[in-house]
Amino acid sequence: MPTDLLRQVWGFDGFRPGQEEIVQAVAAGRDVLAIMPTGGGKSLCFQLPALMREGVTVVISPLIALMRDQVRALREAGVAAGALTSGNTDEETDAVFQALSRGDLKLLYMAPERLASGGTLPLLRRAGVTAIAVDEAHCVSQWGHDFRPDYLRIGDLKRSLDVPLAAFTATADVETRAEIVARLFDGRDPVTFLRGFDRPNLRLAFQPKDSPRKQVLSYVAARRGQSGIVYCASRARTETLADALIQAGHAAVAYHAGLEAETRRQVEARFQREDGLIVVATIAFGMGIDKPDIRWVLHADLPKSIEGYYQEIGRAGRDGDPADTLTLYGPDDIRLRRTQIDEGLADPARKAADHARLNALLGLAEATGCRRRKLLAYFGEDLAQDCGNCDLCAAPPRLFDATQAVRKALSAMVRTGEWFGATHLIDILTGNTTEKVRERGHDRLPTFGVGREHSRVQWQAIFRQMMGRDLCRPDPERHGALHLTEAAHPVLRGEESVTLRQDTTAPKPATVLRTQVAEEDEPLLSALKAKRRALAEAARVPAYVIFPDRTLIEMAEKRPQTLDQMAQVGGVGAKKLESYGRDFLAVIAGEVPDMHPARRKLAGRPEGALFDRLVAVQADLLRGPDGTEKPLSCSTAQIRRIAEAKPADEAGLARHLDAARLDRFGAAFLREIAAA
């Protein structure tokens, strides 16, 4: 039964919403496409069916670090898994080949680039592959930002092996889904599960830049000790911000593609293993990170697209607990992103699509209502009511009819030949007679001084929101001068109105998320984390591979006193109870009596309680009912098998006991089984 495996291997009592139906479809050998939000538990949806079927499931993933982490976590849970990646040592690769030849592996991870090797298909045939799972399936999309050419070989692999394929992704709009179906399933519709894109545990927030370094430092200070990521638009900015955070007393490190490969690996390893480390990075960081307890993601600069934004914030809160996100943005960010698109080498159709994606992100940044509704609408999902977990739901903005102000700004652009940026245009609108204004005669324009009802700061907010709504764009050929877009002309002619926010750049009070435990449980949680860190360092694995934060929090709150109680904690499966149960129980309850390995396998299950009663009955009858007969006992393994099988009659019990033991213990054992 899937639920039995779920408890025994992963230590979970139930599936997350949407998982069970996908597991059943994959286990039944159906072709499956599953779009699930990051943190929704998609890896379980191909790992669990792999244990339910014969043969090997091959998992295609683009991320070496992620593959290695998942293999480590599976092995810790007692699952035979291996990976063939360019990051393997020769010894690791040989061990995987030997396990395949012995028929020991259930899951084999490999990068898509290995499919280009002529020896891969014969290897998979010899290994007895019975299913294919594709992680990050959106990488097959040539229009996507994560396109991997070797993903195009997966369809050939499916046809050659003639096995079912299950594809999983967290980011796939309608176009990308159609491309996945065409390229991986030969256009034949798989069973499709669209589990939505909502991550309700993530708090969404945007803020206009105003002394951005101070904003970053203030935000991080309110979350001291929590693991987080700061994303920046440039390599240089990652290093200066990381230095600023270190100077402020935070554990922080920079990460970008210009660093040596070994340095990048060291940063990734530190982030996986250390509690509370902050990585300040370009978008080169994070895609292979499976750390579940990242508590916040801060964009110090505007992301490239709404898909990129969604994927990057999705690295926070993968454990399902509350997490925080904030994106800082300003006119310079908008100019940079527009220029990157305009000066790129893509064809006009691709540039137009990239501008549209950026427009969607800017629309989210400049939203006047619930941000989550706007974000989900982009992915074709309707949220019935406001989310209550974004900055605009918490503090609805004040709005005003900005039609006249926008028309004045557009008119100033037209009358100056669309040759100037916002600073000069604001001087004209506010009647500021600068030398530049006088030299060009702009103090004689009809628009000179017509906008004095707004302050300079207010005009800056108006221009930023106009750029965010794509009413005007910077022209890279005119040194960033603003020019009107097609969307601006109906406004200028008075055919459309514009509503904007009465924006303020005053910093909002820092919100600190209480995501851990009650005050009285904090010392115990700290002690449990220290034990986890020591075990992780000794095993050279990320801390969450031992136990995730959520499991330690439940231990601190429930304070189990026995291995049976420890086995009831979410995330404590049979193998992890065997490996770590006594270590963590000692932190909570002090030293506890050891438990026979056969009994430990039943910990936390009703069979365990029955085992104990059968042992007690045996002790009473050791020398027979009257205490005068020759001592006789059953082995621990026999009692465990009886507790698991629960035979209902003497014939069933006889399959486990010889005649002498059946005669002495049979009737008493059957009474205990019936009572259970």
Side-chain angles (χ1 to χ4, degrees):
M1 288 289 291
T3 50
D4 293 340
L5 280 171
L6 189 66
R7 176 72 245 182
Q8 183 179 351
V9 177
W10 283 273
F12 300 143
D13 290 323
F15 290 98
R16 293 186 190 179
Q19 281 184 322
E20 188 169 10
E21 298 87 344
I22 299 172
V23 165
Q24 289 173 342
V26 175
R30 308 286 298 277
D31 283 341
V32 169
L33 170 59
I35 297 96
M36 305 172 70
T38 304
K42 59 187 172 77
S43 59
L44 183 82
C45 293
F46 57 80
Q47 292 171 352
L48 180 54
L51 305 187
M52 297 168 63
R53 67 161 66 89
E54 297 295 322
V56 179
T57 294
V58 62
V59 183
I60 310 296
S61 171
L63 310 166
I64 291 176
L66 187 63
M67 285 190 277
R68 294 177 75 88
D69 285 346
Q70 290 199 4
V71 167
R72 278 191 295 235
L74 285 166
R75 287 175 176 170
E76 284 291 333
V79 177
L84 292 174
T85 77
S86 58
N88 280 23
T89 63
D90 291 341
E91 292 77 12
E92 287 172 333
T93 298
D94 288 343
V96 172
F97 285 150
Q98 290 169 14
L100 285 172
S101 64
R102 294 193 304 268
D104 289 346
L105 281 193
K106 294 301 295 180
L107 285 131
L108 173 65
Y109 285 75
M110 64 171 54
E113 288 74 17
R114 188 169 276 271
L115 299 180
S117 166
T120 298
L121 182 59
L123 170 72
L124 297 180
R125 281 185 171 140
R126 289 196 304 273
V129 168
T130 55
I132 301 169
V134 182
D135 203 5
E136 310 292 349
H138 63 276
C139 292
V140 78
S141 171
Q142 290 176 296
W143 281 91
H145 56 294
D146 290 324
F147 174 56
R148 297 286 284 263
D150 286 295
Y151 262 64
L152 301 177
R153 303 177 187 274
I154 297 174
D156 291 336
L157 179 68
K158 172 178 165 54
R159 285 189 291 274
S160 299
L161 294 176
D162 191 25
V163 297
L165 184 146
F168 297 84
T169 181
T171 48
D173 54 22
V174 175
E175 282 181 345
T176 304
R177 292 203 292 271
E179 203 166 351
I180 291 171
V181 170
R183 297 186 183 281
L184 298 186
F185 300 97
D186 290 332
R188 291 193 291 272
D189 288 338
V191 182
T192 300
F193 297 91
L194 182 56
R195 290 305 176 213
F197 295 90
D198 193 12
R199 295 282 309 284
N201 62 314
L202 296 186
R203 184 177 185 275
L204 309 180
F206 283 71
Q207 200 175 100
K209 286 184 177 179
D210 178 37
S211 302
R213 180 176 294 198
K214 281 186 182 178
Q215 288 172 289
V216 170
L217 291 174
S218 172
Y219 185 87
V220 175
R223 293 155 181 79
R224 187 174 292 276
Q226 297 180 354
S227 296
I229 303 174
V230 180
Y231 281 113
C232 302
S234 69
R235 298 176 182 181
R237 189 152 154 74
T238 67
E239 295 180 353
T240 56
L241 264 183
D243 288 342
L245 288 168
I246 292 168
Q247 291 297 318
H250 300 283
V253 62
Y255 182 105
H256 56 74
L259 297 174
E260 293 290 334
E262 180 57 30
T263 304
R264 293 201 305 273
R265 280 194 291 271
Q266 289 172 359
V267 172
E268 290 171 356
R270 278 191 65 192
F271 189 62
Q272 295 279 41
R273 292 174 186 169
E274 290 184 27
D275 288 327
L277 184 66
I278 299 164
V279 174
V280 187
T282 58
I283 58 170
F285 178 80
M287 199 175 170
I289 298 298
D290 197 28
K291 186 177 174 70
D293 58 347
I294 299 171
R295 294 271 64 87
W296 55 267
V297 169
L298 168 61
H299 283 92
D301 301 302
L302 188 72
K304 288 184 175 181
S305 67
I306 201 162
E307 288 91 349
Y309 165 78
Y310 178 79
Q311 191 168 74
E312 287 146 24
I313 64 169
R315 282 151 199 163
R318 294 170 73 106
D319 54 8
D321 288 340
D324 215 1
T325 75
L326 174 65
T327 301
L328 302 179
Y329 68 104
D332 289 343
D333 293 289
I334 301 172
R335 277 191 286 271
L336 171 67
R337 296 308 186 195
R338 294 287 188 207
T339 301
Q340 286 175 332
I341 295 170
D342 289 333
E343 294 182 351
L345 301 177
D347 59 55
R350 178 60 187 267
K351 287 184 178 181
D354 287 343
H355 275 300
R357 287 185 169 93
L358 179 58
N359 284 346
L361 178 60
L362 293 170
L364 182 64
E366 300 293 3
T368 56
C370 176
R371 292 197 195 276
R372 187 169 266 100
R373 294 184 83 165
K374 198 166 187 70
L375 175 64
L376 295 179
Y378 175 82
F379 291 108
E381 193 172 328
D382 181 40
L383 192 63
Q385 57 191 19
D386 290 353
C387 73
N389 194 28
C390 72
D391 55 340
L392 297 182
C393 283
R398 290 180 298 160
L399 308 178
F400 75 106
D401 184 349
T403 307
Q404 289 305 314
V406 171
R407 290 182 69 191
K408 290 173 183 178
L410 295 172
S411 178
M413 286 180 218
V414 171
R415 291 180 185 276
T416 54
E418 299 177 272
W419 269 102
F420 298 92
T423 300
H424 184 71
L425 295 170
I426 291 172
D427 284 334
I428 294 170
L429 290 164
T430 57
N432 185 19
T433 313
T434 66
E435 185 176 342
K436 186 175 177 180
V437 168
R438 284 196 307 273
E439 282 179 357
R440 288 161 174 76
H442 291 165
D443 53 344
R444 298 189 297 274
L445 291 174
T447 46
F448 184 77
V450 297
R452 288 192 178 98
E453 72 274 19
H454 298 296
S455 70
R456 189 171 194 85
V457 170
Q458 288 172 325
W459 272 115
Q460 287 170 342
I462 290 168
F463 271 95
R464 193 201 68 245
Q465 291 182 74
M466 288 171 62
M467 292 170 67
R469 289 170 173 246
D470 204 21
L471 296 173
C472 56
R473 287 185 188 177
D475 186 345
E477 295 183 1
R478 298 188 182 194
H479 309 291
L482 293 174
H483 67 93
L484 278 67
T485 64
E486 286 299 317
H489 294 291
V491 178
L492 191 58
R493 293 193 297 264
E495 297 168 2
E496 290 185 6
S497 61
V498 180
T499 300
L500 298 180
R501 299 195 310 240
Q502 285 186 340
D503 217 359
T504 174
T505 55
K508 296 178 176 62
T511 301
V512 182
L513 290 172
R514 295 286 303 174
T515 61
Q516 301 293 301
V517 293
E519 188 175 347
E520 62 268 21
D521 294 326
E522 285 179 355
L524 177 55
L525 180 60
S526 295
L528 292 169
K529 285 187 173 182
K531 171 58 71 175
R532 178 180 67 176
R533 184 165 58 250
L535 292 169
E537 288 173 356
R540 300 183 64 81
V541 298
Y544 69 81
V545 169
I546 306 295
F547 285 124
D549 273 5
R550 179 178 288 182
T551 298
L552 298 192
I553 289 168
E554 190 173 336
M555 287 182 193
E557 291 174 339
K558 290 186 174 178
R559 299 179 181 244
Q561 301 296 302
T562 66
L563 284 172
D564 277 315
Q565 292 173 359
M566 179 66 83
Q568 297 294 330
V569 173
V572 182
K575 180 66 166 57
K576 289 195 176 182
L577 184 74
E578 176 83 23
S579 301
Y580 307 119
R582 283 180 56 80
D583 291 315
F584 285 90
L585 204 56
V587 175
I588 300 166
E591 290 300 323
V592 293
D594 199 3
M595 183 181 280
H596 191 283
R599 170 63 176 85
R600 198 156 54 232
K601 292 182 185 299
L602 303 178
R605 296 162 55 189
E607 292 83 357
L610 177 57
F611 178 102
D612 293 339
R613 290 198 294 274
L614 295 177
V615 169
V617 165
Q618 175 184 254
D620 289 341
L621 296 174
L622 184 67
R623 289 183 173 273
D626 57 5
T628 61
E629 298 180 36
K630 181 180 177 181
L632 187 65
S633 64
C634 305
S635 71
T636 307
Q638 282 177 309
I639 295 180
R640 178 191 159 202
R641 287 195 293 268
I642 293 169
E644 289 183 313
K646 301 185 189 69
D649 52 35
E650 193 170 291
L653 197 57
R655 286 196 284 271
H656 304 282
L657 300 177
D658 58 25
R661 287 172 174 79
L662 186 64
D663 181 58
R664 181 170 296 187
F665 304 118
F669 278 6
L670 288 172
R671 283 196 297 274
E672 291 298 334
I673 293 169

